[in-house]
Amino acid sequence: MKIEAVELHRLAMPLVRPFQTSFGTQASRDVLLVRVRTSIGDGWGECVAMAAPVYSSEYVEGCAAVIRDYLAPALIAADDVSAESVAGILRFVIGNRMAKAALETAVLDAELRFIGVSFGEYFGATRAEVDCGVSVGIAPSIDELLDEVQSYVDAGYRRIKLKIKPGWDLEPVRAVRELIGETLLQVDANTAYTEADIDHLGALDEFGLLLIEQPFVEEDIATHVLLARAISTPVCLDESIVNAEIAVDAITRGATSIVNIKAGRVGGYLEAVRSHDVCAELEIPVWCGGMLETGLGRAANVALAALENFTLPGDTSASDRYFAEDLTEPFVLVDGRLTVPTAPGSGVELRQELVAGLATRPVLSIRSN
Ligand code: SMG
Ligand code: MG
């Protein structure tokens, strides 16, 4: 296909409740959507970067700038583009994986809509529904945390993930474990700890957690190896895993025995599928992470999570966990699961009146000059 134009849409989506992690609190999602206009039709992708560079070095304004100034012009200049060729065309730009992923997803959406194939079919999904977990932010008090967790258990979520940080770890985990009994439970530190905390983190072992996610900074594989040797709770990497090769390296070094896969973090769904495949070869289970996506990004995540080796429930929660009104038909939890869309491409349609109504900037259209 030929890419005729790339449009950037910026929206503000209020969250149903503020989400606090070890790196800060957000009350609203600063959403960047990308539409590609191509010779075979349009496609949409969602950029997962946060408003500020606090989860990763990428952030929304930076993604919009690198797409506008480098990535979109390169795609528009290419004679022939397919989803498979996007990564190669954009390789001259270092990093910026979340920005690249949004574009690749939009191109894939256009391509698959044209040939009538869904994301799930294209990725190799082996199930029609996926088990869902929910990520629970740091709360103002243990009582409020327990109320929130109970509401998710009542809604049917199959796994609870607690955000932790120094000063908010053993006590909330103990209280939640007592509340939820045998329900699957895991924790996510978003890099808030250091090597000096290894003994302290060992105290989590008594709670029978599925895993502890990313306790140390993303570049530090070595300290994760030390922790994995010191404690019985499985260590799982998120921020550190930026592509399939890094996943293999971290696994073979003993830093991670379960992997969180986020397509945006690894540069797109094609690389996410490759990451899934290499982990499967090494018999390492994976699960699908989340970045507070709208229904557009959620549709693709649910399709990814339907691959064989996604054996643990993902951070693929229902629309009402995040937003009062989603940008697509809402994803609704049924028996703790979400259904994989089967229509071509992402399989969902954006509610254009909402996309326009929630806009925070005019649409930016990048075309050849
Ligand atoms: O999409 O349900 C979701 C959020 C899941 O906790 C979640 N994501 O480190 O895994 C993670 C975080 C990153 C985003 S926090 C604002
Ligand atoms: Mg995480």
Side-chain angles (χ1 to χ4, degrees), residues 55 161 163 188 190 213-214 238-239 260 262 287:
Y55 163 83
K161 158 167 142 180
K163 291 292 191 178
D188 186 359
N190 289 110
E213 188 178 342
Q214 197 76 40
D238 170 2
E239 284 89 331
N260 169 326
K262 288 179 182 164
W287 57 281

Side-chain angles (χ1 to χ4, degrees), residues 27-362:
S28 175
R29 186 75 175 96
D30 185 350
V31 177
L32 172 62
L33 302 182
V34 173
R35 165 151 63 176
V36 292
R37 298 207 174 258
T38 86
S39 52
I40 59 168
D42 293 356
W44 287 87
E46 177 171 347
C47 182
V48 303
M50 299 279 138
V54 287
Y55 163 83
S56 65
S57 61
E58 288 187 85
Y59 64 109
V60 179
E61 194 69 31
C63 288
V66 79
I67 292 172
R68 180 193 65 211
D69 296 342
Y70 297 98
L71 304 177
L75 284 186
I76 291 166
D79 288 333
D80 187 28
V81 175
S82 67
E84 293 278 346
S85 69
V86 169
I89 295 168
L90 303 183
R91 188 156 293 137
F92 75 101
V93 170
I94 306 301
N96 287 281
R97 293 181 179 86
M98 294 176 179
K100 291 175 177 176
L103 277 169
E104 186 193 81
T105 306
V107 170
L108 183 63
D109 186 42
E111 188 174 314
L112 295 189
R113 280 174 193 266
F114 183 69
I115 60 172
V117 171
S118 70
F119 276 6
E121 278 174 88
Y122 180 82
F123 297 157
T126 57
R127 42 182 105 87
E129 290 129 32
V130 301
D131 287 0
C132 297
V134 59
S135 177
V136 186
I138 293 166
S141 68
I142 299 278
D143 281 349
E144 283 159 275
L145 176 72
L146 294 181
D147 284 348
E148 189 179 345
V149 168
Q150 186 63 53
S151 74
Y152 295 137
V153 171
D154 293 344
Y157 285 102
R158 290 170 176 259
R159 177 273 277 154
I160 301 293
K161 158 167 142 180
L162 299 183
K163 291 292 191 178
I164 59 168
K165 65 175 183 180
W168 182 265
D169 45 29
L170 303 181
E171 208 194 332
V173 171
R174 182 185 308 277
V176 169
R177 178 47 94 204
E178 279 170 13
L179 178 74
I180 69 175
E182 308 269 279
T183 304
L184 301 178
L185 179 63
Q186 64 190 54
V187 293
D188 186 359
N190 289 110
T191 78
Y193 293 90
T194 68
E195 187 178 342
D197 298 311
I198 287 181
D199 284 347
H200 176 71
L201 294 172
L204 289 168
D205 282 347
E206 67 169 293
F207 302 116
L209 302 179
L210 266 182
L211 57 90
I212 175 170
E213 188 178 342
Q214 197 76 40
F216 312 121
V217 293
E218 76 179 69
E219 297 82 0
D220 184 1
I221 299 297
T223 305
H224 288 99
V225 175
L226 293 181
L227 180 70
R229 289 185 187 146
I231 68 174
S232 61
T233 305
V235 176
C236 169
L237 292 178
D238 170 2
E239 284 89 331
S240 298
I241 305 299
V242 296
N243 61 38
E245 285 67 42
I246 295 291
V248 170
D249 179 60
I251 291 164
T252 52
R253 289 163 68 181
T256 187
S257 53
I258 297 173
V259 173
N260 169 326
I261 297 185
K262 288 179 182 164
R265 200 194 57 227
V266 300
Y269 285 90
L270 276 57
E271 186 67 18
V273 171
R274 272 193 287 277
S275 302
H276 160 274
D277 294 348
V278 296
C279 289
E281 271 171 43
L282 295 169
E283 295 181 9
I284 293 294
V286 304
W287 57 281
C288 184
M291 293 292 286
L292 306 172
E293 288 91 346
T294 73
L296 182 69
R298 188 160 317 284
N301 283 348
V302 168
L304 180 69
L307 271 64
E308 190 70 31
N309 192 40
F310 279 85
T311 51
L312 300 174
D315 283 343
T316 46
S317 309
S319 296
D320 67 3
R321 148 72 183 86
Y322 311 94
F323 311 111
E325 275 205 286
D326 208 337
L327 294 184
T328 61
E329 273 294 293
F331 279 84
V332 178
L333 204 65
V334 178
D335 194 20
R337 300 192 172 98
L338 292 183
T339 301
V340 181
T342 53
S346 68
V348 291
E349 297 302 325
L350 283 166
R351 296 166 62 190
Q352 294 297 339
E353 78 289 355
L354 269 187
V355 174
L358 296 169
T360 51
R361 329 253 149 124

